[in-house]
Amino acid sequence: MNIRRKHIQELAISLLSQLRISSAPIDVEKIARARNAIIHRGQVDKKVSGYLFREARGNTAVIGVNNSQHEHRQRFTIAHELGHFLLHTGEDLHLDQMFIVKNRDDRSAEGEDLEEVEANLFAAELLMPEQFLRRDIEEMKEFDIFEEIEVKQLAERYKVSQQAMVIRLTHLGYLSI
Amino acid sequence: MTSETLSTELIYRAVGSRIREERVKRNITQEDLAASVGLTRASVTNIERGRQRMPVHVLVALATSLHVSPAHLVGSFEPKTAVEIEALVPEALSDSIKQWIMAGAAKAPTKGGHR
């Protein structure tokens, strides 16, 4: 199976338009609530960044967020878990751990990695929509991506980590590696 | 994509993944499962991926071949019990993380409104 880029982008766009969200920062909790996913924060050790617990045969969910992590990271976690909720099936409890050796016999490691990639892609599409970014960059006169300060400004505006913003800008062709 | 189509898609994908799970558990090939219910292997592949929406009698036949109840393949709307939730939580986690998961799971909405 390949990464469903188009499907993921369309899903993110439709969620944003349904809630009439048209500018950054994206209210990711509002989007989750609209999909019957509630947020449950907890201050625990950083080994686990978040989890997804499904109820009502996958129709509702609890998204666990570790709030000992930075606020921007928490937003990404929520978007990532929401991605699993809306894109994937199979597990009633999905944990996202920082350092993990997955060893499950019923799902191939490759398949799980693919789901992580899809959830990350969904989070990027949701928190940093291409259309919003292109517009904002256009408004920043003489956007010079080599200026760290501008990446920082964008990250602040979208309430995401600078690392997430750099990856997104690279994918959109504004930055090259 | 409307929320209705999304929900329908997820139902078939969930049922499909349960069929696959049970088949793999019993070491049955897609070919053998297909033959036992009079389908082609491609149909079984598609059903397992949620891309083919089978009629109820086919679901019952698949359940019979897999020695599970059709209800098991469809899944339950009943909220999970504390014991069921606990069984999902990996043993190796720290107590604080386990408690955080249990507390969150207990707060899960039991009815999906408009998905």
Side-chain angles (χ1 to χ4, degrees):
Chain A
M1 201 165 99
N2 294 316
I3 297 160
R4 297 166 292 167
R5 291 185 187 281
K6 190 151 180 288
H7 173 67
I8 289 166
Q9 186 180 41
E10 283 170 358
L11 177 61
I13 290 170
S14 81
L15 291 170
L16 293 167
S17 75
Q18 275 165 28
L19 294 172
R20 300 176 202 288
I21 295 171
S22 56
S23 63
I26 309 302
D27 189 345
V28 66
E29 295 196 27
K30 185 179 172 182
I31 297 169
R33 279 196 305 273
R35 286 295 176 169
N36 299 317
I38 63 158
I39 310 300
H40 182 71
R41 288 193 157 76
Q43 196 150 13
V44 294
D45 59 85
K46 290 190 177 174
K47 224 166 81 186
V48 177
S49 55
Y51 64 82
L52 176 75
F53 173 76
R54 294 173 210 258
E55 189 56 279
R57 211 192 50 184
N59 276 286
T60 71
V62 176
I63 290 174
V65 186
N66 186 350
N67 64 2
S68 51
Q69 293 181 318
H70 190 278
E71 185 209 335
H72 292 175
R73 176 59 205 253
Q74 290 179 43
R75 286 168 50 76
F76 198 88
T77 298
I78 294 171
H80 176 99
E81 302 301 344
L82 186 62
H84 281 309
F85 181 43
L86 299 176
L87 294 163
H88 307 134
T89 53
E91 287 176 298
D92 284 335
L93 177 67
H94 176 86
L95 281 170
D96 276 294
Q97 309 188 39
M98 305 294 275
F99 307 102
I100 180 169
V101 181
K102 282 178 178 159
N103 191 10
R104 298 193 45 185
D105 46 14
D106 54 342
R107 311 181 84 202
S108 70
E110 206 176 294
E112 289 220 352
D113 287 347
L114 192 80
E115 292 194 349
E116 294 313 314
V117 173
E118 286 198 335
N120 283 336
L121 184 63
F122 174 81
E125 294 282 0
L126 194 68
L127 296 174
M128 297 166 280
E130 180 173 356
Q131 203 194 343
F132 296 15
L133 265 179
R134 294 212 186 274
R135 190 186 55 210
D136 287 343
I137 289 171
E138 214 161 284
E139 280 171 13
M140 297 167 87
K141 280 180 186 149
E142 293 171 35
F143 182 74
D144 184 353
I145 208 67
F146 296 105
E147 294 286 342
E148 248 176 57
I149 186 84
E150 286 170 329
V151 175
K152 202 175 165 188
Q153 272 175 15
L154 273 177
E156 280 301 321
R157 184 182 301 181
Y158 284 76
K159 292 193 188 293
V160 296
S161 70
Q162 286 187 57
Q163 189 199 0
M165 184 55 78
V166 166
I167 294 170
R168 184 66 170 149
L169 291 172
T170 307
H171 283 162
L172 294 177
Y174 285 100
L175 279 174
S176 52
I177 307 167
Chain B
M1 184 190 297
T2 66
S3 34
E4 189 52 46
T5 58
L6 184 68
S7 173
T8 308
E9 186 192 323
L10 286 180
I11 289 170
Y12 282 97
R13 284 179 58 189
V15 172
S17 71
R18 271 185 222 105
I19 291 169
R20 182 184 176 82
E21 203 175 275
E22 294 301 330
R23 178 180 62 74
V24 171
K25 223 190 264 177
R26 285 168 179 75
N27 249 329
I28 302 170
T29 62
Q30 287 184 332
E31 283 90 345
D32 289 347
L33 182 61
S36 74
V37 296
L39 292 174
T40 62
R41 192 196 62 85
S43 277
V44 170
T45 305
N46 287 328
I47 286 170
E48 287 185 352
R49 291 185 182 168
R51 293 193 303 226
Q52 182 170 325
R53 300 179 177 181
M54 78 231 89
V56 171
H57 70 273
V58 172
L59 180 72
V60 172
L62 288 167
T64 306
S65 281
L66 293 167
H67 301 286
V68 296
S69 70
H72 172 75
L73 296 181
V74 175
S76 169
F77 281 108
E78 294 299 310
K80 293 181 191 70
T81 63
V83 174
E84 286 170 332
I85 295 167
E86 213 171 346
L88 295 171
V89 181
E91 223 11 74
L93 297 172
S94 69
D95 284 346
S96 62
I97 291 177
K98 282 183 190 165
Q99 280 161 19
W100 170 50
I101 295 170
M102 294 295 290
K107 285 167 51 179
T110 50
K111 269 185 224 147
H114 48 229
R115 270 196 69 211

